[in-house]
Amino acid sequence: MARLEELGQVGAIAGGGCARLALSDADRAGRDLVVSWMRDLGLVVTVDAIGNVFGTRAGREDRPPVLCGSHIDTVATGGIYDGNLGVLAGLEVMEVLAEAGVVTRRPLTVAFFTDEEGARFAPDMLGSSVFVGGMALETAHDIVGIDGARLGTELERIGYLGSVPCPGLVPYAYVELHIEQGPVLEAHGDDIGAVTGVQGISWQEITVLGQSNHAGTTPIAYRHDAGYVAAATSVFLRGLARELGGDQVATVGRATLHPDLVNVIPGRAVFTVDLRNTDEAVLVEAEARLTEELTRLAAEEDVSIERRVLARFTPVEFDQKVVEMVEATATLLGHRVRRLPSGAGHDAQMLARVCPAGMIFVPSAGGISHNPAEYTSPEALLAGADVLLHVLVGLAEEPDGARQGRRRHGTDEGAGGVGASDAPDETTGHPR
Ligand code: GLV
Ligand code: MN
Ligand code: MN
């Protein structure tokens, strides 16, 4: 709790939240603080070429580690729990094991991944994606952020361009504790979520090019109003989400008009669309319907439209055995558990590409997140950390062959230091 509060002070904003956009000065300060805690706990700290940071506690045997963690970057209107909880609970697990004199069979590693939020540099889950070979390192380094900065240059500037190669190690398993960021657990009076998977994500940036003109003299029929098209698209998306129903959500989270003046018709509008669904087929339909509507609006207003994909991830299902383990452990510890999918993106969905992965959710008060008012009670945080501790130890002690036919990559034999494996990755074809 003390670490959560202290890290929350780094980049603190009004209302009790924090702003640590990826690779900003505030992110650097947060990273330095967490690394100092890793060192205080005697963990071996390594940094990879995309700035992911790992703190490892040796096991009784030299094997691929059981990995936990999350992210410490935030959106500009972030709370103190999103991401930070998973990393700091990982540190807590290390401390508890040290105090109890327990050395696990497999090593335990706690990680924080670079730019999970994607709020400054899209896509989200960028560091974990590069870590599993989902995006080439060079491509990631060349990404330009919303402020015009280049990711690789910022990484070097803040001192986190590490030397460990990407893609990195194939862990034995990955478990991430996170706040739910939605209303489901609280609404049902449940303490712990056993997360079954993560919904698919489609982000795009849309640029509408019309014509700036006088707001008083230009009759409606003569306008090529980029602002109108942006607004009409936003209204269309709300109706589309309602019509598709179920899990479909749609958000226009960013919009800028040019020249952004009271008496000038906007000649250019740039806005983002965030579409998500647990059902890939419906998500594809939502994308197609958006395309149709943009084509129709472009003709109606006689404007041109350019589009750029910022992120596209299909829905992910977590490893059945890890989900069962989270559920069983939480039940054994006396908690009310519910299985549920995640609405937010998480590093665990990237790790799920290479190893058995799962997540533990704790309730978010009022379902509020990406907002300084984000809150989870100390009791709920403790419950989540407790489940994390026992699941990690269970995985770290698992006998060989416990998940035969389940691991998709590598074997459980041999040294598993960060960046140690060079077997080819079956999913991406990247050398690992
Ligand atoms: C990122 O974490 C997102 O879900 O937007
Ligand atoms: Mn998060
Ligand atoms: Mn977030």
Coordinates of all heavy atoms in Angstrom, one line a residue, residues 71 116-117 124-125 201 203 274 276 343-346 370, ligand 1:
H71 N 2.1 -2.9 -16.0 CA 2.7 -1.7 -16.5 C 2.7 -0.6 -15.5 O 1.8 -0.6 -14.6 CB 2.0 -1.3 -17.8 CG 0.6 -0.9 -17.6 ND1 0.1 0.4 -17.4 CD2 -0.5 -1.7 -17.5 CE1 -1.2 0.4 -17.2 NE2 -1.6 -0.9 -17.3
E116 N 2.1 0.3 -22.1 CA 0.9 -0.6 -22.2 C -0.3 0.2 -22.7 O -1.2 -0.2 -23.3 CB 0.6 -1.2 -20.8 CG -0.5 -2.3 -20.9 CD -1.9 -1.7 -20.8 OE1 -2.0 -0.5 -20.4 OE2 -2.8 -2.4 -21.1
E117 N -0.3 1.5 -22.3 CA -1.5 2.3 -22.5 C -1.7 2.7 -24.0 O -2.8 2.8 -24.4 CB -1.5 3.6 -21.6 CG -1.6 3.3 -20.1 CD -3.0 2.7 -19.8 OE1 -3.9 2.5 -20.7 OE2 -3.3 2.5 -18.6
D124 N -1.4 0.1 -28.1 CA -1.3 -0.2 -26.7 C -0.6 -1.6 -26.6 O -0.4 -2.3 -27.6 CB -2.6 -0.2 -26.0 CG -3.8 -1.0 -26.7 OD1 -3.5 -1.4 -27.9 OD2 -4.8 -1.1 -26.1
M125 N -0.2 -2.0 -25.4 CA 0.5 -3.2 -25.1 C 1.8 -3.3 -26.0 O 2.1 -4.4 -26.5 CB -0.4 -4.5 -25.4 CG -1.4 -4.7 -24.3 SD -2.9 -3.7 -24.5 CE -3.6 -4.5 -25.9
I201 N -9.6 -5.7 -30.0 CA -9.4 -4.2 -30.0 C -9.1 -3.7 -31.5 O -8.3 -4.3 -32.1 CB -8.3 -3.7 -29.1 CG1 -8.5 -4.2 -27.7 CG2 -8.0 -2.2 -29.2 CD1 -7.4 -3.8 -26.7
W203 N -8.3 0.0 -33.2 CA -8.1 1.4 -33.1 C -7.8 2.0 -34.5 O -6.9 1.5 -35.2 CB -7.0 1.8 -32.2 CG -7.2 1.6 -30.7 CD1 -8.3 1.2 -30.1 CD2 -6.2 1.9 -29.7 NE1 -8.1 1.2 -28.7 CE2 -6.9 1.6 -28.4 CE3 -4.9 2.4 -29.7 CZ2 -6.2 1.8 -27.2 CZ3 -4.3 2.5 -28.5 CH2 -4.9 2.2 -27.3
D274 N -12.2 3.8 -31.3 CA -11.8 2.6 -30.5 C -13.0 1.7 -30.5 O -14.1 2.0 -30.0 CB -11.5 3.0 -29.1 CG -11.2 1.9 -28.1 OD1 -11.9 0.9 -28.2 OD2 -10.3 2.1 -27.3
R276 N -14.4 -2.3 -29.8 CA -14.0 -3.6 -29.1 C -15.1 -4.5 -29.0 O -16.3 -4.1 -28.9 CB -13.5 -3.3 -27.6 CG -12.4 -2.2 -27.6 CD -11.7 -2.2 -26.3 NE -10.8 -1.0 -26.2 CZ -9.9 -0.8 -25.3 NH1 -9.6 -1.8 -24.5 NH2 -9.2 0.3 -25.3
G343 N -12.5 -6.2 -20.4 CA -12.9 -5.2 -21.4 C -11.7 -4.4 -21.9 O -11.7 -3.8 -23.0
A344 N -10.7 -4.3 -21.0 CA -9.5 -3.5 -21.3 C -8.4 -4.4 -21.9 O -8.5 -5.6 -21.7 CB -9.0 -2.8 -20.0
G345 N -7.5 -3.8 -22.6 CA -6.4 -4.5 -23.1 C -5.4 -4.7 -22.0 O -5.3 -3.9 -21.1
H346 N -4.6 -5.8 -22.0 CA -3.6 -6.0 -21.0 C -2.4 -6.7 -21.6 O -2.5 -7.5 -22.6 CB -4.2 -6.9 -19.9 CG -5.3 -6.3 -19.1 ND1 -5.1 -5.2 -18.3 CD2 -6.6 -6.5 -19.1 CE1 -6.2 -4.8 -17.7 NE2 -7.2 -5.6 -18.2
H370 N -9.2 4.9 -15.8 CA -8.7 5.9 -16.7 C -9.3 7.3 -16.2 O -9.7 8.1 -17.0 CB -9.1 5.6 -18.1 CG -8.2 4.6 -18.7 ND1 -8.2 4.2 -20.0 CD2 -7.2 3.8 -18.1 CE1 -7.3 3.2 -20.3 NE2 -6.7 3.0 -19.1
Ligands
GLV1 C1 -5.3 -0.2 -22.7 O1 -4.9 -0.7 -21.7 C2 -6.7 -0.1 -23.1 O2 -7.4 -1.1 -22.8 O3 -7.1 0.9 -23.6

